[in-house]
Amino acid sequence: MSHKRIPKRRAAMAAGGVVALGAAAVLLPNANASQDGGTPHDAAAAPRTLKAADASDLASRLAGLLGDAFAGSYYDTGEQRLVVNVVPGDDDQVVARARKAGAEVREVGNSMGELSGGARTLRSEATIPGTSWALDPRTNKILVTADSTVTGAKWDRLESTVESLGPGMATLKKSAGTFKTFVSGGDAVFGGGGRCSLGFNVTAGDGSPAFLTAGHCGVADDQWSDVQGGQPIATVDQTVFPGEGDFALVRYDDPATEAPSEVDLGDQTVRISRAAEATVGQRVFRMGSTTGLADGQILGLDATVNYPEGTVTGLIQTDVCAEPGDSGGSLFTQDGLATGLTSGGSGDCAVGGETFFQPVTTALEAVGATLGGDAGDGEGVGGVDGSGLTG
């Protein structure tokens, strides 16, 4: 079988041949492209309504502008506003700057430095397999989660560490599932007897076509095929797992491979224009070879997950479901922005659970690749009627 050119259906973030779309996984209409409305005269005093992608860009700018006063931000989907946490200080202009930029400002008690310090304490005192923690700007706390394997002395250790951080610093909750990576055997991209999902097609630093997937997939095997038992079509170039991320750059063996920046949903594609930072509260969509399309919200950033294979840092925490075989699959927005790569979590798409994603921006920077070269300006996602996808 020749693999000189992979059909777009397979090379475009596909997650295999047939895609099952869950009834709950409905893409929002792309009609909010003109939502940055607000009255010009009130722009300095009142928060602006923003698309989620614009809120993410604004959050990045304000983080630099506000310096130590910045204590995180999140997107209020109901009000379509960016909420920025600030720590009160001597500079009276901090709140004014954030409001002038169009954000809703909320004064909080925990600074980013204090929250990061709490996370470091958890790392040193409670790195227990089956635990995770992430910064949650909506509560201005660290969200600590333990899966069903954390019991007895391990639970006591985790609970006492959380308590040692002081009141109002962290919340602790129990998950019914077990934290694991989502690699499995089946269809999509295959290697070493396992199955993963292609994340995003990219251009490697030397201009050759490649794709991103989960790092634990890259560790599982160094050669991958687009059919089970088929000849390899791509070879792992760089892998990080466990450690500071969960991502791999896999180069297509044939440099003439067509690898457009798009997500294949089965009956339509979503063009990907660029990578973007995740924002807490943002609605996102995940594509995977096992469960197809699913959606949910960003819950936390800079998450640490203690998998059985080791600790992974710098992840995105969400409530989007995933199952074995979805590993490496794409997390993206309705505007066609690449956000994450599926890492792991607990639960499944019947009961839900916690899931974690590798930020695409971090992965691209680490491997020296770029995204979006074949996507034009991107058209985003088509509209829906509330019951399924439309063209």
Side-chain angles (χ1 to χ4, degrees):
M1 179 177 179
S2 172
H3 291 287
K4 288 186 178 180
R5 288 190 178 270
I6 303 173
K8 286 187 178 181
R9 183 178 60 83
R10 286 186 179 166
M13 276 181 44
V18 179
V19 176
L21 301 180
V26 220
L27 295 180
L28 291 173
N30 199 31
N32 68 351
S34 61
Q35 280 176 351
D36 84 331
T39 306
H41 299 294
D42 299 329
R48 287 189 294 141
T49 56
L50 298 165
K51 293 185 296 182
D54 294 335
S56 177
D57 292 340
L58 178 58
S60 296
R61 293 198 301 272
L62 285 175
L65 178 68
L66 300 179
D68 292 341
F70 179 78
S73 63
Y74 64 93
Y75 185 61
D76 184 332
T77 54
E79 299 293 330
Q80 296 177 329
R81 292 174 178 172
L82 177 71
V83 181
V84 174
N85 294 334
V86 297
V87 179
D90 296 332
D91 187 355
D92 294 334
Q93 296 303 310
V94 166
V95 172
R97 287 193 205 104
R99 285 180 175 154
K100 186 175 181 179
E104 179 178 332
V105 178
R106 186 177 70 148
E107 293 190 359
V108 295
N110 294 323
S111 69
M112 287 296 290
E114 291 168 329
L115 293 171
S116 297
R120 287 193 296 272
T121 298
L122 287 163
R123 178 74 183 269
S124 63
E125 303 294 334
T127 297
I128 301 166
T131 62
S132 72
W133 46 84
L135 303 186
D136 180 6
R138 287 181 292 192
T139 62
N140 188 228
K141 296 179 181 181
I142 305 168
L143 173 61
V144 184
T145 307
D147 73 12
S148 59
T149 67
V150 182
T151 58
K154 292 188 291 185
W155 172 262
D156 293 341
R157 176 180 159 197
L158 178 64
E159 189 174 42
S160 65
T161 303
V162 170
E163 290 175 352
S164 74
L165 301 178
M169 182 62 71
T171 57
L172 175 59
K173 73 170 188 173
K174 191 85 169 178
S175 171
T178 302
F179 291 158
K180 58 185 180 296
T181 54
F182 288 130
V183 64
S184 182
D187 61 16
V189 288
F190 301 85
R195 174 181 97 218
C196 284
S197 298
L198 193 155
F200 296 94
N201 280 317
V202 298
T203 301
D206 63 357
S208 62
F211 65 84
L212 293 176
T213 190
H216 64 267
C217 297
V219 169
D221 198 5
D222 62 356
Q223 291 189 309
W224 290 82
S225 172
D226 60 345
V227 293
Q228 190 169 21
Q231 291 296 312
I233 62 166
T235 302
V236 175
D237 183 77
Q238 300 179 54
T239 300
V240 173
F241 179 83
E244 296 181 358
D246 183 4
F247 57 90
L249 177 71
V250 187
R251 292 177 183 265
Y252 289 109
D253 295 336
D254 186 343
T257 297
E258 293 181 0
S261 295
E262 56 187 33
V263 183
D264 184 6
L265 304 183
D267 59 352
Q268 67 172 292
T269 59
V270 177
R271 293 207 282 176
I272 300 297
S273 59
R274 63 183 176 91
E277 300 288 346
T279 302
V280 170
Q282 184 177 33
R283 192 180 187 193
V284 286
F285 301 87
R286 177 199 53 72
M287 193 65 193
S289 67
T290 300
T291 57
L293 187 68
D295 69 325
Q297 273 196 356
I298 304 292
L299 299 180
L301 302 177
D302 198 18
T304 293
V305 186
N306 296 300
Y307 292 123
E309 300 92 338
T311 298
V312 180
T313 61
L315 301 182
I316 301 165
Q317 183 169 349
T318 82
D319 61 5
V320 185
C321 74
E323 297 183 7
D326 289 331
S327 279
S330 52
L331 188 73
F332 60 99
T333 72
Q334 67 170 16
D335 297 320
L337 302 179
T339 304
L341 306 166
T342 306
S343 174
S346 68
D348 54 36
C349 288
V351 301
E354 296 82 20
T355 46
F356 302 94
F357 294 82
Q358 165 66 45
V360 171
T361 51
T362 306
L364 288 171
E365 182 178 2
V367 301
T370 56
L371 185 153
D374 294 321
D377 293 327
E379 292 182 353
V381 175
V384 296
D385 59 8
S387 60
L389 296 172
T390 62

